[in-house]
Amino acid sequence: METANNHESDVSVPSFPFPFQPYDIQQRFMSELYKTLEQGKIGIFESPTGTGKSLSLICGALKWLRDYEDKQRQELEDILQGKVTLTSGDCEQVQQVSDEPDWLAEFDEKKAQSERAAQIKEKIERRLKYEERLQNLKRYTKAKFSKKRKHCEVENITTGSTAQDDTKSPSLQTTDNDNEDDDLVVNEYHSDEDSVATTTLDEDNDTEDEDDESYVTKIYYCSRTHSQLAQFVREVQKSPFGEETKVVSLGSRQNLCINENVRKLKSLSLMNDKCLEMQKNKKEAKSAEEDGRQKRRKTGVAKCPFYQNMMEYSDRVLIEVKDIEQLVEMGKDIKTCPYYGTRHTIPMAQLVVLPYNTLLHKSTRRACGIKLEGNIVVIDEAHNLLDTISNIHSIQISGIQLTKAHSQLSQYMDRYRSRLKAKNLMYIKQILYLLTRLVKCLQGQIGVPPSEQKTGPSTVKLYTINDFLFTTEMDNINLFKVLKYCEKSEISKKLNGFVEKYQPTIEVKVEERKQPTNQTAMSQFLQQLSQRSSTEQKPTTPPTQVTMETQSDENPVTRSPLQQIQEFLQALTNADKDGRVVVNKQELLSQTSVKFLLLNPAVHFTEIVQQCRSLIVAGGTMQPLSEFKQQLFYMAGVETERIREFSCGHVIPPDHLLPIVLCKGPTGVELDFTYQSRDLPNMMDELGRVLCNICSVVPGGVVCFFPSYDYESQVHTYWNKTGVLTRLLARKKVLREPKKSNQADKVLAEYTSCIKKCCGQPSGITGSLLLSVVGGKMSEGINFSDDLGRCIVMVGLPYPNIKSPELKEKMDYLNSTVKNTSGGRLPGQVHYENLCMKAVNQSIGRAIRHKDHRYSRPNIIISIFTGRAIRHRGDYASIVLVGRLCQYCVSGP
């Protein structure tokens, strides 16, 4: 079934280049997409799994972009040839309000037209010159890559050796403590009203690229994960537009950085700080060279040797479509940073591929130089867009982070007090005050390790933003000024450098903390810090100490949590009605936390909707569409007339898919997987019998989804004790979804390998059984096509915890701000049910991949009770919903 809510318009729809004969619904999809982009509207496109959504998006959007550019180019040429007369709005306004003679007004208008024509001519010439340069480079690259670039390699080796010389031990740097700490001391901060001329790398790039970007219309395509983005880029490469489209993929430093000194840091935040510091050092060195000043090195951090050749890298990116892995390899080849190289490529790219966070987070979007005005935004896999926006802007900080930040910032202030200006001291004291009040809010104390502070019984309290500020006595501090200071002074980066350099000295020894003394522990250590000589700064193994960070941390290097706390303070500047503050107090301060919960995601989505020319949200399961319109678009001020909807049905024939709702098990036990009953032994026994029967008759792969990791672990342990697991292993190799993301590929490879090896065997092990989790790594973005997903089993319905304070607050907010549905149900209740059904749809959709009859061998559709098989030919899959509640949410196959 296909539906579109708009009447046919006057927009003429062209034929679309496609790598093969498209399905009828793919043709309809591209046509509706083309009309939506041409009319500058907002489109909600639902195309179920297996319908070729990605390829339809590529061919439909890039066809529109090509036609739009051709139309613009023709209009400019017509203006230059005099076929179209330019009109100047300014001249018309002057003519209406001025008493000048007609001949003078006519002269002014002709002059304006002449100037405009000259600008257009220059614009066209610049565009043609750039296109010619790219074509020459494309021919040059194809010829050059067949030979060794020995000269370039020699230059790169020389550059590399220079960089290594810069990375010598800090002990070889200046021994003057004051001079070498200059980079750790915040610069003088002017009054809040003064306009401080600060030149940053991003601002420079914006200025340089402003002219270039003005004539390149872009499509920003974003999805949830890097693997989904890589898959999309591969589809572009195979499409008819792969040769001519200029594409660039953006990613994080974890994916793109090639500097081993940065890559070895396991924390993304540490990688960001290290990279920015190295970039800053290179910029300062360049500035000193241009000014003719000999500037003594003030820091032990070397400049990055890969921040070079950006123009060459950008040109190479644009001449051929490359995915993330290819971008990294090219960066290594020409010794250029792919992270900044891709950012430099944005202005001239036609298609920019980027992850959710880069687009949806305003500061990240601005830092990357992403300009949405007049451009197209396509958000794929948008079924969880509302939750994604809320999660990105919901910040949680712990008691450990607060006490740790206070300790570090206090020692920072005391060490550099004599070198800090009054304005800096004032704001640092305000930050310390805010940290103190947040710790007091959690019933904690400053100066005592959080692991030893008891805060009383466990409680969870929710506050409005204003109530929280009043309760914590933070309402007398201007958060906007504090945040502006944090941004301009970069205090969090300075503190990170201070912590990294003096980490062994900002820890609290047990003996010194327990002994009564007239000096505080902080003062004692600051005194020790000031007495250290340069020879004592060599790496040594610190004695056993009790640090302020007592929680288990995978990061080997301690960093300051001030940046995350700064984001929490930023969240507190939202409107009172748009968010809540959740104070989760546990018995120990180390276990407590305070979290900002965003209730209105439209607040951070409004700017995107207002700036872009057209917005497309697409997904396989976008229902209910009313949720998107109510919570995202209407609240962002979008008119109903601007929204265009398109939805189509599956391409899979009905006889290729068998949905089953199983309310009773093989022994007649009613299957009840509600939270109160799912832990019962007879329930887990009956589930084991169901899976044993399924694995006995279904060849290939079976994927079983559980509501949570905890329940999957509990069932697996129980089956191992009762022998159910042994029976399953007789027919399938049993694998479990890992909790760590870096282990998922290994499990999938083992799952696939076993199925391919065992496929077609009539007895023994016939495939694999994968125990997965709803909402986990296997429930989205993974294609269990063909033999990899012959049966999908859903254990119960994954309803979220209704007693969760955050969920209850979200439901109350929706009940008070959103109109009731046509069925009379409260919006909060609808939201609660949608959370469950969206997760179910995503999970069971893993096996619904295509419509074609790919196999000639007989297919098997299971009969769980009798063990007999119904056979026919063609591709197939079965979906089994296990649990009595499933019958109330399934309307039919």
Side-chain angles (χ1 to χ4, degrees), residues 788-806:
L788 299 184
R790 291 306 181 193
C791 183
I792 303 295
V793 181
M794 177 68 59
V795 180
L797 294 177
Y799 282 104
N801 183 9
I802 190 64
K803 296 182 180 179
S804 167
E806 299 179 13

Side-chain angles (χ1 to χ4, degrees), residues 809-825:
E809 194 67 25
K810 177 70 174 182
M811 293 172 64
D812 292 341
Y813 171 79
L814 293 175
N815 290 336
S816 60
T817 57
V818 179
K819 296 180 180 179
N820 290 356
T821 60
S822 57
R825 294 184 300 165

Side-chain angles (χ1 to χ4, degrees), residues 164-174 300 537-539:
Q164 291 177 358
D165 293 338
D166 290 337
T167 59
K168 293 181 179 179
S169 171
S171 61
L172 299 180
Q173 307 292 337
T174 176
Q537 296 180 11
K538 296 180 180 179

Side-chain angles (χ1 to χ4, degrees), residues 690-704 724-735 750-751 754-756 758-771 787-791 793 857 860 862 876:
V690 170
L691 272 182
C692 286
N693 286 350
I694 291 175
C695 292
S696 297
V697 296
V698 175
V702 177
V703 185
C704 180
V724 174
L725 194 58
T726 303
R727 289 156 51 197
L728 290 172
L729 288 171
R731 300 296 293 174
K732 302 287 184 184
K733 182 176 182 178
V734 180
L735 299 171
E750 190 175 357
Y751 175 80
C754 179
I755 292 173
K756 290 181 178 180
C758 303
C759 185
Q761 294 185 5
S763 60
I765 298 179
T766 60
S768 297
L769 169 63
L770 181 58
L771 306 181
D787 278 327
L788 299 184
R790 291 306 181 193
C791 183
V793 181
R857 66 176 182 82
I860 304 174
I862 64 172
Y876 71 95

